[in-house]
Amino acid sequence: MQKGPSIPRHCTPTTPTGSDPVIGQPDHDRSRRVRAGAALAAALLGFFVITLDALVVNVALPSIRTDLGGGMTGLQWVVDGYTLMFAALLLSAGSLSDRVGARRAFGIGLVVFVAASAACGLAPNLPALVGARLVQGAGAAAMMPTSLALIREAYTDPVKRGRAVALWAVGGAVASAAGPVAGGAASLISWRMIFFINLPVGVVALVLLAFAARSPRRLVPFDITGQISAVLAMGALTFAAIEAGSAGFTAPRVWAAALLTAGAVVVFIRAQARGRHPMVPLELLRQRTVLISCGAGFAFMAAFYGMVFVFSIYLQQQRGLSALATGLAFVPMTVLSAFINPLSARAAERFGARTPIACGMFLMTCGLLLLALLPAGTPTWALALLMLPVGMGGPLAMPPATALLVNSVPAHQTGTASGVFNTSRQLGGALAVAIFGALIADQDHFLHGLRISLVLAALTTLAAATASLYLRRPTPPAPVPALPRPAGHAPKETLR
């Protein structure tokens, strides 16, 4: 290979003020920024459609039941079919990200997600819709952890990475704000339109992904025992919670599902403890930061998604609002969250992650308790205003919790840690829909079940707020002492 002219060792290279140290360096930096921006934009759009599909369905549930039939159990499976597969496959999605590279894994998941969205919109009956939602959840599982891995690869500086994660979270915040209204507005035409929304967004994300830098790959084995036991445990637990609402907690199939859940959990733990290549290394779960971050994610999703689910049904079935009016009731809460998300990263930089996480979870607790204690005749506009603390709390807490998790693990465990974190989030949402749906299944005691659901959600966020007080501020690495230079040698420049 042809080399440039050598520089004598006794000479120190100098760079005139205002000139570039290396010809072509600005172009290289500009290209790197473009690739980083493309990766962040693709990850943001992916997070947008993932979050949108978790929320847009709720206000359209009555329309889906009118068109395709099914009772409360069927509606729960339309929501939980997506979140269940999302949660169950997230753990192995981290390994997929490491094996094929974050960019390729994200692209595969995005293609699956978009194709399944089209199948949802064309579903001829309820079983076909639930089946397509399962596939859609599998695609989302491949996208979520790889989106964070893309951000980590694109931004090496922790401060810039934290801000990038906050911008990534804006995608979820905007989807949360747009989801209920989009679902209600689309239902005026057809509930099928809520799934077709994903098609153009997915195409744009794929185009942006083509400009992102290639991701490194690592040869990692697949933990088949751990994955199967995780799917069985989460699926059986969700089935038990949903069926308890229609068959009762003492039904044989509910107890059988509960026993299957316990057995699958035991197999999973043993596989991770004794397996040669565990899907979730137990030492990762022994880290306090990982556990508290995952707990905060679980509590947020259980409270937020559970509340949206029960109020979407309550406002339409008990108060007679249209799907669009129901979606508009969530607008003050969800729009506010879009403005809080970017500020949370700044708050974490100034006060540390513990303060915004604890304050956010406590705000959610207060809002949920207020909603639970309101009389039945409270106007809808008052309900919308009292949802504001819930809308403020989640966006305040989640970006710092996400950035804290990503920065607390080694680079090679980013995909796995992201999978664990997002599994806890989706499991919280799936269990909330299953349990809260069981509590409101009896139409004669709907309001009582709704209040119990909100109290349970408040207790969950209160527990997360308390646990976050035990977070430690990250310790900066000790400075490396400078080595003494031999006499007569001037320091050489380091090109960054």
Side-chain angles (χ1 to χ4, degrees), residues 433-490:
V433 170
I435 296 172
F436 297 175
L439 291 171
I440 64 174
D442 186 354
Q443 295 298 312
D444 294 333
H445 301 88
F446 189 100
L447 191 59
H448 178 68
L450 183 146
R451 286 173 173 159
I452 294 177
S453 300
L454 294 174
V455 170
L456 290 176
L459 292 175
T460 305
T461 53
L462 180 61
T466 304
S468 66
L469 298 177
Y470 292 90
L471 284 170
R472 297 191 185 98
R473 183 185 292 271
T475 304
V480 179
L483 296 177
R485 296 191 301 269
H489 283 71

Side-chain angles (χ1 to χ4, degrees), residues 79-271:
V79 178
D80 269 358
Y82 175 78
T83 52
L84 175 61
M85 289 301 292
F86 195 173
L89 297 180
L90 271 172
L91 297 175
S92 58
S95 299
L96 174 67
S97 173
D98 294 336
R99 176 177 284 273
V100 305
R103 191 179 78 158
R104 178 174 293 184
F106 184 86
I108 293 172
L110 185 58
V111 170
V112 172
F113 183 89
V114 170
S117 298
C120 287
L122 298 172
N125 49 52
L126 192 61
L129 176 59
V130 172
R133 289 282 283 172
L134 291 170
V135 178
Q136 194 181 35
M143 293 166 59
M144 178 65 85
T146 50
S147 65
L148 282 175
L150 282 173
I151 292 174
R152 170 140 194 173
E153 293 169 4
Y155 297 91
T156 56
D157 180 75
V159 174
K160 292 182 179 180
R161 186 188 301 139
R163 294 175 181 175
V165 169
L167 289 174
W168 169 82
V170 169
V174 172
S176 298
V181 178
S187 296
L188 297 178
I189 304 173
S190 171
W191 61 266
R192 299 177 186 275
M193 294 299 300
I194 65 178
F195 298 108
F196 291 137
I197 295 173
N198 299 329
L199 304 185
V201 179
V203 170
V204 173
L206 283 172
V207 172
L208 288 168
L209 189 65
F211 291 94
R214 292 181 180 272
S215 300
R217 304 180 189 180
R218 293 175 54 247
L219 291 178
V220 292
F222 184 74
D223 182 7
I224 186 65
T225 303
Q227 180 61 83
I228 292 176
S229 58
V231 172
L232 286 176
M234 297 181 197
L237 180 60
T238 304
F239 178 87
I242 290 177
E243 291 300 314
S246 58
F249 289 94
T250 59
R253 64 176 179 269
V254 174
W255 278 99
L259 291 175
L260 179 59
T261 301
V265 168
V266 171
V267 172
F268 178 80
I269 294 175
R270 287 174 63 90

Side-chain angles (χ1 to χ4, degrees), residues 184-448:
S187 296
L188 297 178
I189 304 173
S190 171
W191 61 266
R192 299 177 186 275
M193 294 299 300
I194 65 178
F195 298 108
F196 291 137
I197 295 173
N198 299 329
L199 304 185
V201 179
V203 170
V204 173
L206 283 172
V207 172
L208 288 168
L209 189 65
F211 291 94
R214 292 181 180 272
S215 300
R217 304 180 189 180
R218 293 175 54 247
L219 291 178
V220 292
F222 184 74
D223 182 7
I224 186 65
T225 303
Q227 180 61 83
I228 292 176
S229 58
V231 172
L232 286 176
M234 297 181 197
L237 180 60
T238 304
F239 178 87
I242 290 177
E243 291 300 314
S246 58
F249 289 94
T250 59
R253 64 176 179 269
V254 174
W255 278 99
L259 291 175
L260 179 59
T261 301
V265 168
V266 171
V267 172
F268 178 80
I269 294 175
R270 287 174 63 90
Q272 305 314 295
R274 300 183 179 183
R276 294 180 58 187
H277 305 289
M279 182 169 55
V280 183
L282 293 185
E283 62 267 17
L284 188 69
L285 300 180
R286 295 190 183 102
Q287 297 183 35
R288 179 186 302 182
T289 300
V290 174
L291 288 177
I292 294 176
S293 297
C294 292
F298 178 94
F300 164 67
M301 293 287 279
F304 185 80
Y305 280 29
M307 184 198 71
V308 172
F309 175 77
V310 295
F311 270 106
S312 295
I313 297 176
Y314 169 69
L315 293 176
Q316 294 183 69
Q317 290 191 354
Q318 302 293 315
R319 295 205 171 191
L321 297 184
S322 65
L324 179 59
T326 300
L328 291 173
F330 295 110
V331 167
M333 172 187 68
T334 54
V335 168
L336 180 63
S337 67
F339 291 96
I340 297 296
N341 256 299
L343 301 178
S344 61
R346 301 285 185 177
E349 291 174 19
R350 182 169 182 177
F351 304 107
R354 179 173 62 183
T355 299
I357 294 174
C359 291
M361 291 291 101
F362 186 70
L363 271 175
M364 293 190 74
T365 302
C366 295
L368 291 164
L369 288 177
L370 284 174
L371 290 170
L373 296 174
L374 288 176
T378 303
T380 302
W381 63 265
L383 290 177
L385 291 179
L386 290 173
M387 291 178 188
L388 291 179
V390 181
M392 293 174 60
L396 183 62
M398 283 302 97
T402 307
L404 185 67
L405 176 81
V406 172
N407 290 329
S408 66
V409 300
H412 69 274
Q413 286 188 331
T414 303
T416 302
S418 300
V420 173
F421 176 68
N422 288 293
T423 294
S424 66
R425 284 167 52 96
Q426 298 306 316
L427 183 59
L431 289 179
V433 170
I435 296 172
F436 297 175
L439 291 171
I440 64 174
D442 186 354
Q443 295 298 312
D444 294 333
H445 301 88
F446 189 100
L447 191 59
H448 178 68

